[in-house]
């Protein structure tokens, strides 16, 4: 494999084959729940227990799901890219922690994580596996002001300075399992096009910005991603 500086963006579709709901497919999370009520600061202010119940249910799913071959293939690609003298940055919109469990290292979780919670009083962040409620005291300051460590609609995604830094250096951009409907993540392929670098979409079906990609392979991520990585690495 030649030295490549790779940036990968992943969305819910990469975890679909692990049994994690996507958002906008026919039985997705935003079909079964109103995102304005469970994924906005306003929804949390209006009814915090409803929001806690939504994330408690998604957090409770995690012990029953495992990384699939797509997550594993991206961890392998990272190791091969670094071994070849290149670099690898994994920008994920997912909050299911499956990339870390598959062995990926350089992960930028721009929408937060289901396995963490934060205190709105002291801003401390905690690893968390149990249920959360308005009555849960902060382990650090004792305030009853805990919230899921999730970036909601209308809030600023995290680590975007590092994302932009990696995109400035990249010579290959790969998008996996995202509908390309939420910014600023959905804008990354446009940034890659401005830089004139190859842009690959690996997805079940064409995303909203499929026309911006230079290479497209459609199918289930657990099949398409390992095949693409084998071609790229020459395994
Ligand atoms: N393999 C590959 N792709 C798949 C699979 C699969 N098995 N199943 C579904 N997909 C694709 C769908 O075709 C769709 O393009 O994954 C994409 C999922 O899109 P969304 O449900 O919109 O999820 P995502 O793009 O991650 O949403 C982005 O929206 O609500 C916010 O914060 C939330 O991070 C999320 C963001």
């Amino acid at each position: 494999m030649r030295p490549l500086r790779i940036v990968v963006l992943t969305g819910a579709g990469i975890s679909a084959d692990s049994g994690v709901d996507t958002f906008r497919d026919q039985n997705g999370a935003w079909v079964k729940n109103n995102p304005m009520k469970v994924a906005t600061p306003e929804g949390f202010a209006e009814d915090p227990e409803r929001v806690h119940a939504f994330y408690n249910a998604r957090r409770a799913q995690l012990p029953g799901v495992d990384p699939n071959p797509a997550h594993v293939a991206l961890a392998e690609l990272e190791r091969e890219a670094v071994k070849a003298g290149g670099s690898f940055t994994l920008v994920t919109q997912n909050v299911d922690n499956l990339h870390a469990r598959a062995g990926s290292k350089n992960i930028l979780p721009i929408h937060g994580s289901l396995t963490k919670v934060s205190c709105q009083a002291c801003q401390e962040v905690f690893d968390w596996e149990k249920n959360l409620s308005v009555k849960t005291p902060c382990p650090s300051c004792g305030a009853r002001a805990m919230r899921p460590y999730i970036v909601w609609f209308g809030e600023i995604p995290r680590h975007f300075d590092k994302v932009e830094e990696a995109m400035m250096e990249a010579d290959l951009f790969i998008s996996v399992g995202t509908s390309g409907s939420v910014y600023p993540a959905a804008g990354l392929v446009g940034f890659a096009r401005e830089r004139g670098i190859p842009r690959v979409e690996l997805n079940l079906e064409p995303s909203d910005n499929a026309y911006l990609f230079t290479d497209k392979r459609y199918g289930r991520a657990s099949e398409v991603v390992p095949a693409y990585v084998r071609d790229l690495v020459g395994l």
Side-chain angles (χ1 to χ4, degrees):
M1 175 178 187
R2 62 188 173 83
L4 281 171
R5 290 168 303 203
I6 303 172
V7 175
V8 180
L9 170 68
T10 63
I14 196 169
S15 298
D17 292 348
S18 296
V20 180
D21 286 348
T22 60
F23 291 95
R24 296 173 181 80
D25 291 321
Q26 63 278 13
N27 60 350
W30 296 154
V31 175
K32 294 185 273 193
N33 305 273
N34 176 352
M36 294 304 117
K37 296 287 185 193
V38 296
T40 59
E42 296 75 13
F44 188 59
E46 183 186 305
D47 185 348
E49 284 301 12
R50 174 175 56 202
V51 175
H52 282 311
F54 174 68
Y55 288 99
N56 288 343
R58 292 181 67 202
R59 192 178 304 110
Q61 256 195 345
L62 293 185
V65 301
D66 292 311
N68 68 58
H71 298 102
V72 172
L74 289 186
E76 279 161 11
L77 178 56
E78 176 175 15
R79 287 190 289 271
E80 292 298 323
V82 170
K83 202 161 59 177
S87 65
F88 186 96
T89 303
L90 177 53
V91 181
T92 188
Q93 301 173 93
N94 299 342
V95 295
D96 57 32
N97 208 36
L98 288 177
H99 285 304
R101 288 179 53 200
S104 290
K105 299 294 177 215
N106 189 22
I107 306 169
L108 298 175
I110 60 172
H111 288 173
S113 173
L114 270 176
T115 59
K116 292 180 187 296
V117 297
S118 64
C119 173
Q120 297 173 100
C122 69
Q123 310 308 319
E124 284 285 310
V125 178
F126 306 92
D127 289 330
W128 201 263
E129 287 167 6
K130 304 167 292 196
N131 281 348
L132 198 58
S133 91
V134 292
K135 301 185 198 66
T136 308
C138 169
S140 173
C141 75
R144 282 172 167 63
M146 303 300 287
R147 65 164 277 180
Y149 191 64
I150 298 287
V151 176
W152 285 327
F153 290 104
E155 294 185 322
I156 312 287
R158 296 196 176 93
H159 314 297
F160 239 76
D161 50 345
K162 290 198 187 126
V163 173
E164 284 163 356
E165 217 173 281
M167 287 299 290
M168 285 303 288
E169 302 292 315
D171 35 40
L172 173 62
F173 177 70
I174 305 168
S175 176
V176 184
T178 183
S179 59
S181 51
V182 172
Y183 288 79
L188 293 180
V189 61
F191 190 10
R193 183 175 65 159
E194 278 164 31
R195 293 210 44 244
I197 61 173
R199 317 180 280 283
V200 184
E201 174 162 82
L202 307 177
N203 207 50
L204 188 64
E205 62 209 359
S207 67
D208 293 356
N209 43 31
Y211 69 100
L212 291 172
F213 288 90
T214 52
D215 183 6
K216 306 158 198 184
R217 302 194 189 182
Y218 295 119
R220 305 195 71 82
S222 54
E223 291 151 19
V224 169
V225 176
Y228 176 77
V229 168
R230 275 195 296 276
D231 291 351
L232 188 62
V233 174
L235 281 183

